[in-house]
Amino acid sequence: MTTTIAILAPGAMGSAVARRLGEHGARVLTSLKGRSEATLKRAADAGMIGADDDAIADADIILSIVPPGEAVALAERLASLIVRRAKKPVVVDCNAVNVDTVLRIEEIIGSAQAPFVDAGIIGFPPQPGGKSPAFYMSGEHARDVAVLKQLGLDVRIVEGPVGAASALKMSYAGIVKGLAGIGSAMVLAATKAGAADALRDELALSQPAILARLEVALPDMIPKAYRWVAEMREISGFLGPDHPASQIYEGFARWFEHLAADAKGEAVDAALMKAFAANVPRKS
């Protein structure tokens, strides 16, 4: 029998995951009400089927893949759809949220008597012929969605309760995106002080791995900075208000807000980061 999976929403990751699932025989639904023309086209190109709320609630599995700030509201919407259903879908929260947030989401979904899985996605949206990002999953129902592995996703079980997969995601993102935050801040500071070439030369000599990473990370982060703001605040919450390092991630949230605003405006800082990454010499 064909497995029906609903993915909310058809963003860059959601639509790419939908395409991968469809390539392996799944029927993939999504909600397209009120969505933009660009989103409608992205969903169609991925083979996603626009469906009403009743059809979404009838899916075998529902994957929540939205910006972290929208995760709780989507959980509340899903709970209202499935609460009266005799057959309950497995709801999988795949969002970059902290442990407290995912436990709140579990409680919301649990109020509708639906099984819940905590998941964290690590990696880029899957491309045709390429590998899947890792879907780390935890909680007592994590193995109930093993079919996703047969449908082309790289599913990895994290032994532990709901919250374990989100803790992994927070920790990993805190390191990787934290490094991007530190690197971008220091590269821009050095550039504006006239030391970009000297910084690059020293990194090439003493920290070639870091330089190689910055060459990729700096241009890659520019269009994503707006999405990282809420994620940094989730990481700050993951550490907790009394943790001395929590303010570091609140600072990164403000920094990514700045970079996102710059990218939408004159893109002055974006141009400087791209120049550093591309090894464009600074004029004396």
Side-chain angles (χ1 to χ4, degrees):
M1 294 179 63
T2 300
T3 301
T4 299
I5 300 171
I7 297 181
L8 304 173
M13 179 64 78
S15 60
V17 170
R19 182 183 296 109
R20 175 59 54 87
L21 293 170
E23 289 170 350
H24 287 75
R27 178 171 174 261
V28 185
L29 310 180
T30 193
S31 177
L32 296 174
K33 184 178 180 180
R35 307 295 297 199
S36 68
E37 287 298 322
T39 299
L40 295 177
K41 183 179 186 305
R42 183 166 56 239
D45 290 346
M48 305 177 86
I49 303 167
D52 60 20
D53 286 350
D54 285 341
I56 295 291
D58 280 338
D60 299 304
I61 299 169
I62 300 177
L63 302 181
S64 171
I65 307 178
V66 294
E70 300 175 17
V72 172
L74 178 55
E76 291 170 341
R77 178 188 166 201
L78 292 174
S80 70
L81 297 181
I82 61 182
V83 64
R84 295 183 180 85
R85 302 266 162 180
K87 175 182 172 291
K88 309 287 186 179
V90 181
V91 178
V92 185
D93 183 277
C94 304
N95 303 306
V97 296
N98 69 48
V99 175
D100 287 345
T101 304
V102 83
L103 291 174
R104 181 181 173 194
I105 292 171
E106 179 191 29
E107 183 177 355
I108 292 168
I109 298 301
S111 70
Q113 293 81 49
F116 178 77
V117 176
D118 172 26
I121 304 174
I122 294 180
F124 296 106
Q127 300 301 313
K131 67 179 183 178
S132 164
F135 282 73
Y136 286 95
M137 300 192 177
S138 69
E140 64 175 301
H141 296 288
R143 288 181 171 78
D144 294 353
V145 292
V147 66
L148 295 174
K149 193 172 185 70
Q150 301 168 27
L151 294 172
L153 299 187
D154 181 5
V155 175
R156 306 179 188 184
I157 303 298
V158 180
E159 297 299 339
V162 165
S166 286
L168 170 63
K169 171 66 175 178
M170 292 287 95
S171 302
Y172 182 88
I175 294 169
V176 174
K177 293 174 183 175
L179 289 173
I182 292 170
S184 57
M186 291 301 101
V187 162
L188 285 172
T191 300
K192 292 176 181 180
D197 292 342
L199 174 62
R200 189 182 172 90
D201 290 346
E202 179 54 40
L203 288 172
L205 286 170
S206 63
Q207 302 291 338
I210 291 177
L211 178 59
R213 184 169 190 86
L214 290 176
E215 288 174 338
V216 174
L218 294 183
D220 180 68
M221 71 178 288
I222 293 168
K224 300 176 181 177
Y226 77 98
R227 297 207 318 255
W228 291 5
V229 175
E231 188 169 350
M232 293 302 103
R233 293 199 163 111
E234 289 291 331
I235 295 170
S236 179
F238 169 60
L239 291 173
D242 297 328
H243 194 293
S246 66
Q247 289 304 306
I248 294 173
Y249 289 92
E250 177 58 36
F252 282 145
R254 296 198 303 272
W255 176 235
F256 291 135
E257 281 179 330
H258 164 80
L259 293 178
D262 170 77
K264 286 185 177 180
E266 297 181 0
V268 174
D269 286 350
L272 294 177
M273 287 194 295
K274 288 178 180 178
F276 185 92
N279 195 18
V280 176
R282 301 294 297 170
K283 295 179 181 179
S284 59

